[in-house]
């Protein structure tokens, strides 16, 4: 059964060489283009492979077939670069079989080996799946090597069968194929990096709008590019000047001595669309738009020019970019100081934050590999940069400051991969409601809800800090020190007892509580230290400790297998010399990196964090506040844990726990509901029960009663199944929320009289509003939980687990993950609740059936993946027992929407607001 009748939308995506192709369905208007593709743009040899012969009529027939009036069984997609149709892929159902389609493919000769066919087939596979097609078939000639290679590299299982010189290929379209997703990801990564080369490693740059007015943005950038020592060609474009700040200026792009790879636009908003168009026509491959305050029309024209002419775009409203690779040496930003060359990759949305970050990192001596101020992020996003840093061979630390996520699921997937290799740090900006409002108006992009962001960061292994200060403090540690062992046992050593205690408190607060040192270590330490020292944890060396004492202690603790990280708090003592505390000098003479991370705390230090240089060239981070050191270590510990966790295939879904879902029935039910309620809404109790049954979610029996008599009858039927022989009565009307708050729930009804009273109470109270009532057996008391799905149009589904029932808002103890959930997600969702012990058991509370809880979460994950129209599901409460669980209240909301496949390769479409 087709799940949707929408035509596939137009999408833009990158070819293997980074060219932007536009993919859209073919229609009658495309007949000439299709004919030209199959005739002028293909050699006779290509045509023979395509049509199995040399019939002169073949191109005509193909054009007629693909561009005739729409046929329900035909899906035909074209790939365009600019105005040229460069390839076509189509599939058509045959012999009345709705779930199998015959695939055909053609690529213009000059565009062979650019991944055109593969990209088209990916989009066709997506569209075919949406239509319920389960298998593609293709007849190919044995000699058609390009097509055979395409199929073997695609990532989908391919079955081949030789039949009279023709090779029949069958491609089953398995929905949850991780192998395919990985292949698609890898192609996306390679194409993305190729497309960014013109931006981040340009050989030539034009600054458009380089003004003679000193202090203007255009001139400032021009000067910075020159002074930064850019190794390529630099041209100024200004129709009103012969030279700008000593650089010769050209009136327009066509008068330049060559075609620039990159153009930096610093022109007024009205000029931006025309300048972008001119760049596109000239063959520029990337734009950095510094201009802000574009109105909706200007923004759309800018985007259109970029997509049509295959230019990647940074901005608008960008502060610029920088690349410190000595081969390039590009400083095209008008904010901060020239970044030191180094290994930190930085992407910021807000330019102000970018300046601040560059300055602080420079003060710490942490160098930058590349810096991008994303601005309004119409095109190039944090996701693109993660992929760039993953493969640039220079970056070993990524710092992101993002206020919104364009395609969060793609981001989380990329981040999961990149964070395996390098730490990715971010500031969780827009946490508060006010912060989100600010972020929305600031970047013209609605920011993402907190709970979703947290889930996203955690799932992706991203280190999310709460402020720029914390970001920098954590970067200082991760940059210079090894990770702790995942266990994260921290020791605090100090030469002033009081500071040691402050540090111990800070550690507890940061979630790295100090354990007592093993007695062996404690004794060894005592032998090393002056009288009066105490060797609990924190270790107090007393102020009488000399530099030698301290160094010996640090060496001993760093070697101890019981300790995974060390905070050394030092105050200047009588032993301090002119150049600072003697003890620090002793430490800096030792190695910067030991087996465990070492953080220094000097409360007298003016800067919140410094990187102290050691004799061996490495650095030790030194903090003025023990809390900062503790937080940085806690982040490092979390990262070590994330790395130590088994990562099957990233993104593997929780298949072991996924019940045998009846997806076709669930989809049918969804479609039926939306046919009767095209605007969407809450399912009624019967439809809700049917839907949950498709996923094996245990829901209590409900009977429907339209009047008191029917309620009485239902109560009599259900009473034997109720706890203590009791039933529950709930008044029902469509789209109701919070029944108990409205007084629409009566529990514990033991007798006929109870049921009558409850029913007549409802009639008095709700009158005609009420359609009737639901009668349920009373469930035994147990642990009340809530589980559900929230789905965001952009984000995709999020599965939530919480403690609760009617008290859920008070307890406010919830855990959430983006679906699809992995096995690990299922485990951590249960264990990370503050009240996890209520589920897993304590000496006085027996454990509940966590396997059953996992089963429900996996079912929700599957349901969310199957039904994009499901915007909200709320199982509250789920009553859990030692031997199972039951849901007594479920609500499901459906809305019409087209499925969103986050794994399909396509460039993001920015949300452009009309307001400048
Ligand atoms: P709502 O969430 O709309 O207020 P519920 O159907 O969840 O309404 O009922 C409110 C509370 O009543 C539940 O949290 C639960 O504690 C209790 N309850 C509801 N139905 C049952 C039932 N069948 N058995 C036991 N308790 C129930
Ligand atoms: Mg409820």
């Amino acid at each position: 059964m087709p799940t949707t009748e929408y035509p596939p939308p137009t999408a833009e995506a990158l070819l293997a060489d980074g060219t932007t192709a536009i993919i859209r369905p073919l229609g009658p208007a495309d007949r000439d283009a299709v004919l030209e593709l199959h005739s002028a743009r293909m050699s006779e040899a290509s045509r023979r492979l395509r049509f199995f012969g040399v019939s002169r009529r073949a191109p005509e027939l193909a054009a007629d077939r693909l561009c005739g009036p729409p046929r329900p069984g035909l899906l035909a997609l074209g790939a365009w670069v600019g105005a040229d149709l460069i390839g076509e892929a189509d599939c058509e159902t045959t012999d009345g079989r709705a779930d199998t389609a015959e695939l055909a493919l053609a690529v213009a000769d000059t565009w062979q080996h650019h991944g055109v066919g593969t990209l088209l087939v990916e989009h066709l596979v997506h569209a075919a799946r949406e239509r319920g097609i389960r298998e593609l078939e293709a007849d190919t000639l044995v000699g058609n090597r390009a097509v055979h290679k395409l199929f073997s590299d695609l990532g989908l299982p391919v079955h081949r069968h030789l039949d009279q010189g023709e090779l029949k290929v069958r491609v089953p379209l398995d929905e949850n194929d991780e192998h395919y997703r990985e292949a698609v990801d890898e192609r996306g990564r390679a194409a993305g990096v190729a497309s960014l080369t013109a931006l981040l490693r340009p050989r030539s740059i034009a600054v458009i709008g380089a003004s003679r007015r000193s202090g203007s943005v255009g001139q400032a950038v021009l000067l910075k590019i020159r002074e930064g020592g850019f190794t390529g060609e630099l041209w100024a474009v200004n129709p009103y000047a012969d030279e700008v700040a000593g650089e010769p200026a050209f009136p327009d792009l066509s008068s330049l001595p060559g075609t620039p790879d990159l153009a930096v636009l610093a022109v007024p908003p009205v000029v931006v669309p025309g300048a972008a168009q001119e760049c596109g026509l000239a063959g520029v491959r990337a734009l950095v738009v510094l201009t802000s305050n574009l109105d909706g029309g200007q923004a759309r024209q800018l985007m259109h020019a970029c997509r049509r002419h295959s230019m990647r775009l940074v901005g608008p409203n960008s502060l610029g970019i920088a690349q410190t690779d000595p081969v390039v040496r590009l400083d095209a930003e008008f904010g901060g100081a020239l970044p030191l060359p180094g290994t930190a990759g930085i992407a910021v949305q807000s330019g102000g934050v970018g300046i601040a970050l560059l300055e602080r990192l420079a003060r710490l001596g942490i160098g930058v590999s590349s810096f991008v101020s994303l601005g309004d992020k119409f095109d190039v996003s944090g996701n693109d940069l993660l992929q760039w840093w993953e493969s640039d061979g220079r970056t070993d630390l990524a710092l992101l400051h993002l206020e919104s996520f364009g395609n969060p699921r793609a981001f989380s997937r990329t981040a999961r991969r990149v964070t395996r290799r390098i730490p990715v740090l971010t500031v969780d900006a827009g946490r508060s409601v006010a912060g989100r409002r600010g972020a929305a108006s600031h970047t013209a992009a609605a920011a993402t809800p907190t709970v979703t962001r947290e889930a996203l960061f955690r799932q992706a292994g991203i280190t999310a800090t709460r402020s720029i200060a914390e970001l920098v403090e954590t970067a200082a540690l991760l940059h210079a020190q090894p990770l702790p062992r995942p266990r994260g046992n921290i020791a605090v050593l100090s030469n002033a007892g009081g500071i040691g205690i402050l540090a111990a408190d800070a550690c507890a607060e940061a979630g790295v509580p100090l354990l007592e040192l093993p007695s062996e270590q404690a004794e060894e330490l005592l032998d090393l230290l002056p009288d009066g020292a105490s060797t609990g944890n924190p270790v107090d060396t007393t102020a009488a400790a000399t530099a030698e004492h301290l160094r010996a202690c640090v060496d001993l603790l760093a070697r101890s297998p019981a300790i995974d990280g060390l905070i050394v708090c030092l105050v200047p003592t009588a032993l301090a010399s002119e150049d600072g505390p003697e003890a620090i000098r002793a430490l800096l003479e030792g190695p910067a990196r030991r087996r465990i991370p070492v953080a220094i705390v000097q409360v007298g230090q003016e800067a919140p964090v410094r990187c102290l240089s050691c004799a061996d060239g490495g650095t030790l981070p030194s903090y003025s506040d023990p809390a900062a050191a503790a937080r940085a270590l806690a982040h490092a510990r979390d990262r070590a844990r994330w790395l130590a966790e088994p990562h099957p295939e990233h993104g593997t879904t929780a298949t072991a726990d996924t019940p045998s879902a009846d997806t076709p029935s669930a989809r049918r039910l969804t479609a039926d509901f939306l046919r009767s309620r095209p605007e969407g809404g809450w399912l009624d109790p019967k439809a809700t029960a049917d839907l949950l049954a498709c996923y094996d979610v245990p829901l209590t029996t409900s009977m429907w009663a339209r009047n008191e008599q029917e309620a009485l009858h239902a109560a009599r039927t259900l009473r034997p199944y109720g706890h203590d022989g009791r039933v529950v009565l709930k008044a029902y009307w469509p789209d109701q929320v919070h029944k108990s708050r409205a007084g629409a729930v009566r529990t514990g009804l033991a007798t006929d009289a109870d049921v009558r009273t409850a029913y007549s109470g409802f009639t008095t109270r709700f009158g005609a509003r009420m359609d009737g009532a639901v009668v349920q057996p009373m469930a035994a008391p147990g642990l009340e939980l809530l589980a559900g799905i929230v789905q965001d149009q952009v984000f995709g589904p999020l599965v939530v687990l919480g403690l609760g029932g009617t008290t859920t808002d008070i307890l406010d103890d919830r855990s959430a993950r983006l679906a699809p959930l992995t096995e690990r997600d299922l485990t951590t969702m249960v264990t990370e609740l503050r009240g996890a012990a209520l589920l897993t058991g304590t000496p006085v509370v027996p454990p509940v059936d966590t396997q059953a809880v996992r089963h429900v979460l996996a079912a929700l994950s599957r349901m969310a993946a199957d039904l994009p129209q499901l915007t909200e599901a709320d199982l509250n409460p789920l009553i859990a027992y030692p031997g199972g669980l039951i849901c007594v209240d479920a609500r499901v909301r459906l809305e019409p929407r087209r499925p969103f496949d986050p794994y399909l390769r396509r460039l993001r479409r920015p949300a452009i607001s009309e307001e400048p």
Side-chain angles (χ1 to χ4, degrees):
M1 187 200 69
T3 52
T4 160
E5 286 95 38
Y6 305 106
T10 299
E12 292 102 357
L14 298 172
L15 299 175
D17 65 356
T19 304
T20 307
I22 297 168
I23 308 282
R24 66 166 172 79
L26 294 173
D30 301 315
R31 195 177 179 283
D32 289 348
V34 172
L35 191 60
E36 193 190 329
L37 169 69
H38 287 96
S39 45
R41 290 174 180 269
M42 283 167 77
S43 66
E44 182 141 345
S46 308
R47 258 201 306 280
R48 187 169 296 139
L49 290 175
R50 167 72 180 80
F51 297 118
F52 299 27
V54 283
S55 156
R56 253 193 272 134
R57 294 254 303 128
E60 290 271 351
L61 292 174
D64 288 344
R65 187 174 72 83
L66 297 174
C67 304
R71 285 197 302 286
L74 173 73
L75 258 173
L77 298 177
W80 307 75
V81 169
D84 296 336
L85 179 66
I86 60 164
E88 165 277 316
D90 66 87
C91 68
E92 183 154 20
T93 51
T94 46
D95 313 331
R97 286 165 66 199
D99 62 353
T100 306
E102 190 88 29
L103 170 82
L105 186 67
V107 175
D109 282 358
T110 47
W111 285 92
Q112 300 273 345
H113 313 297
H114 285 71
V116 179
T118 309
L119 183 63
L120 277 165
V121 169
E122 284 176 22
H123 280 256
L124 198 67
V125 162
H126 170 76
R129 279 177 173 164
E130 273 195 348
R131 278 165 171 64
I133 293 171
R134 315 254 311 267
E135 186 167 283
L136 293 178
E137 290 179 349
D139 288 336
T140 63
L141 288 177
V142 176
N144 195 345
R145 285 224 296 281
V147 159
H148 296 304
K149 180 157 176 8
L150 185 155
F151 282 119
S152 24
D153 294 348
L154 194 58
L156 285 171
V158 174
H159 304 292
R160 294 183 176 83
H161 167 73
L162 196 60
D163 184 15
Q164 300 176 358
E166 279 179 24
L167 198 55
K168 290 204 177 292
V169 180
R170 287 192 304 111
V171 187
L173 305 183
D174 185 353
E175 295 247 359
N176 286 316
D177 191 335
E178 183 58 23
H179 188 61
Y180 177 57
R181 285 182 183 173
E182 269 172 21
V184 172
D185 273 355
E186 175 46 31
R187 290 194 280 270
R189 190 198 60 74
V193 167
S195 75
L196 292 182
T197 305
L199 178 76
L200 287 164
R201 304 184 67 85
R203 288 157 307 177
S204 49
I205 303 178
V207 177
I208 300 178
S211 139
R212 266 195 306 192
R213 194 158 46 80
S214 75
S216 70
V217 167
Q219 189 182 100
V221 171
L222 186 75
L223 286 173
K224 287 198 91 173
I225 298 175
R226 190 176 64 197
E227 282 157 17
F230 178 55
T231 57
E233 304 270 3
L234 175 62
W235 298 304
V237 175
N238 182 337
Y240 311 108
D242 298 335
E243 61 84 36
V244 174
E247 294 288 334
F250 299 85
D252 52 31
L253 278 169
S254 57
S255 41
L256 294 182
T259 303
D261 283 341
L262 168 69
V264 179
L265 265 57
V267 293
V270 284
V271 184
V272 167
Q277 170 81 0
E278 200 189 331
C279 287
L281 289 171
V284 172
R285 299 303 307 272
L287 295 185
V288 173
V289 177
L290 307 178
T291 315
S292 52
N293 295 324
L294 269 62
D295 68 24
Q298 292 157 348
R300 271 189 295 275
Q301 288 175 52
L302 167 63
M303 262 331 282
H304 179 77
C306 289
R307 293 286 150 88
R308 180 172 171 102
H309 299 293
S310 199
M311 298 183 286
R312 294 309 301 268
L313 165 67
V314 166
N317 195 14
S318 164
L319 194 77
I321 63 173
Q323 162 68 273
T324 62
D325 186 333
V327 178
V328 184
R329 279 215 307 268
L330 169 63
D331 185 20
E333 43 75 48
F334 63 99
L338 179 67
L340 299 171
T343 56
I346 302 177
V348 293
Q349 209 163 327
S350 139
V353 171
I355 299 177
L357 260 180
L358 286 178
E359 270 176 20
R360 293 175 88 148
L361 292 178
R363 249 181 274 143
L364 288 177
I366 298 179
V368 171
S369 58
S370 42
F371 164 86
V372 177
S373 154
L374 297 166
D376 290 342
K377 230 171 44 154
F378 279 12
D379 176 31
V380 172
S381 66
N383 207 12
D384 291 299
L385 289 157
L386 282 182
Q387 300 200 13
W388 176 267
W389 294 326
E390 181 186 19
S391 27
D392 75 351
R394 300 176 69 227
T395 305
D396 65 12
L397 176 72
L399 306 181
L400 296 173
H401 185 274
L402 303 176
E403 287 148 27
S404 68
F405 297 93
N407 181 350
R409 283 211 281 180
F411 175 71
S412 122
R413 202 172 157 78
T414 305
R416 275 187 218 201
R417 187 181 69 226
V418 177
T419 48
R420 310 279 307 152
R421 239 174 48 74
I422 60 173
V424 177
L425 277 64
T426 188
V427 180
D428 187 4
R431 273 195 311 271
S432 65
V433 174
R436 281 205 296 281
R437 265 198 314 271
S441 50
H442 183 178
T443 62
T448 316
T450 317
V451 60
T452 317
R453 302 167 71 93
E454 274 173 15
L456 181 69
F457 291 139
R458 207 170 315 120
Q459 269 178 309
I462 292 173
T463 303
T465 63
R466 298 179 75 83
S467 64
I468 293 177
E470 189 179 324
L471 178 84
V472 172
E473 287 153 6
T474 308
L477 183 79
L478 290 175
H479 175 69
Q481 291 291 307
L483 286 180
R485 284 178 285 252
R487 181 181 53 180
N489 284 347
I490 304 298
V492 169
L493 175 76
S494 84
N495 65 352
I499 307 227
I501 291 168
L502 284 178
D505 289 348
C507 284
E509 237 152 65
V512 281
L514 304 187
L515 301 181
E516 219 168 292
L517 297 184
S519 52
E520 251 164 80
Q521 247 89 65
E523 271 159 40
E524 280 181 82
L525 278 173
L526 270 187
D527 287 346
L528 282 177
L529 287 171
D531 287 346
S534 79
T535 58
N537 192 8
V539 176
D540 178 8
T541 66
T542 77
T546 64
E548 275 325 301
H549 284 134
L550 283 158
R551 183 149 82 193
C553 286
V554 168
D555 287 345
L556 189 134
L557 288 168
R559 272 197 315 270
S560 162
I563 291 161
D564 308 319
L566 186 58
I567 296 180
V568 183
C569 306
L570 295 173
V571 291
T573 61
L575 302 158
S577 76
E578 271 179 0
D579 358 308
E582 203 54 45
I584 291 276
R585 284 248 305 280
L587 273 185
L588 299 182
E589 277 159 18
R593 289 173 81 95
R594 297 164 197 263
R595 287 176 49 232
I596 59 170
V598 177
I600 295 177
V601 170
Q602 301 185 81
V603 285
Q605 168 184 310
E606 216 168 294
V609 58
R610 292 170 58 202
C611 286
L612 307 177
S613 305
C614 295
D616 65 2
T619 60
L620 277 167
S622 170
Y623 300 89
S624 62
D625 182 354
R631 275 193 306 260
L633 274 169
H635 283 307
R637 188 267 328 259
D638 290 346
R639 172 159 173 77
R641 285 191 178 165
W642 150 263
L643 289 173
E645 277 164 6
H647 286 257
E649 303 294 325
H650 56 265
T652 306
T653 46
T655 37
D657 280 275
T658 305
S660 49
D662 182 0
T663 304
S665 302
R667 290 200 172 136
R668 207 169 308 128
L669 200 148
T670 305
D672 289 347
F673 175 80
L674 288 172
R675 210 163 298 127
S676 65
R677 295 266 309 260
E679 76 295 357
W682 296 98
L683 291 184
D684 66 30
K686 162 91 172 65
T688 307
D690 290 347
L691 183 64
L692 293 179
C694 295
Y695 294 91
D696 235 1
V697 174
L699 186 66
T700 193
T701 316
S702 291
M703 285 180 74
W704 177 239
R706 273 167 302 182
N707 53 45
E708 197 176 304
Q709 205 47 41
E710 286 185 12
L712 206 57
H713 174 74
R716 285 181 188 146
T717 314
L718 294 176
R719 219 173 263 143
Y721 305 99
H723 176 65
D724 247 358
R726 287 161 199 264
V727 293
V728 176
L729 196 66
K730 301 178 185 179
Y732 175 78
W733 57 89
D735 292 336
Q736 65 184 173
V737 276
H738 297 308
K739 295 179 288 297
S740 48
R741 217 176 279 170
V745 179
R746 291 277 172 275
T747 60
L749 309 178
T751 64
D752 283 0
D754 288 348
V755 175
R756 278 211 182 87
T757 317
Y759 200 97
S760 58
F762 285 165
T763 354
T764 326
R765 188 159 190 163
F766 305 119
R769 181 146 68 114
M770 177 173 127
D771 278 5
V774 169
V775 188
Q776 296 175 342
M778 177 88 188
L783 178 66
E784 292 204 356
L785 303 172
L786 82 87
I789 302 169
V790 203
Q791 185 146 208
D792 183 279
Q793 179 89 54
V794 188
F795 245 109
L798 187 77
V799 176
V800 185
L801 173 70
L803 287 182
T806 40
T807 52
T808 176
D809 291 336
I810 305 166
L811 294 172
D812 192 24
D813 189 3
R814 286 181 202 131
S815 157
R817 287 288 185 286
L818 296 174
L821 303 177
T822 61
E823 288 291 334
R824 191 172 58 86
D825 291 333
L826 296 180
T827 308
T828 46
M829 283 183 78
V830 173
T831 53
E832 80 180 4
L833 292 171
R834 274 182 278 115
L838 294 173
L839 281 97
T840 54
T842 68
V844 287
V845 187
V848 305
D849 187 347
T850 45
Q851 206 48 45
V853 176
R854 291 168 63 103
H855 173 89
V856 169
L857 295 176
L860 289 172
S861 163
R862 177 70 185 269
M863 204 161 131
D866 285 353
L867 309 173
Q869 302 90 342
L870 193 157
T871 45
E872 205 175 329
D874 183 33
L875 310 182
N876 184 13
L878 273 175
I879 308 182
Y881 308 100
L885 54 68
I886 186 106
C887 174
V888 299
D889 177 31
R891 301 186 324 133
V892 173
R893 188 180 162 77
L894 299 176
E895 266 175 27
R897 60 177 57 193
R898 62 172 306 117
F900 177 80
D901 179 353
Y903 307 113
L904 183 66
R905 276 204 283 148
R906 63 190 145 190
L907 293 169
R908 213 163 39 87
R909 289 272 180 82
I912 291 171
S913 71
E914 290 306 312
E915 303 283 305

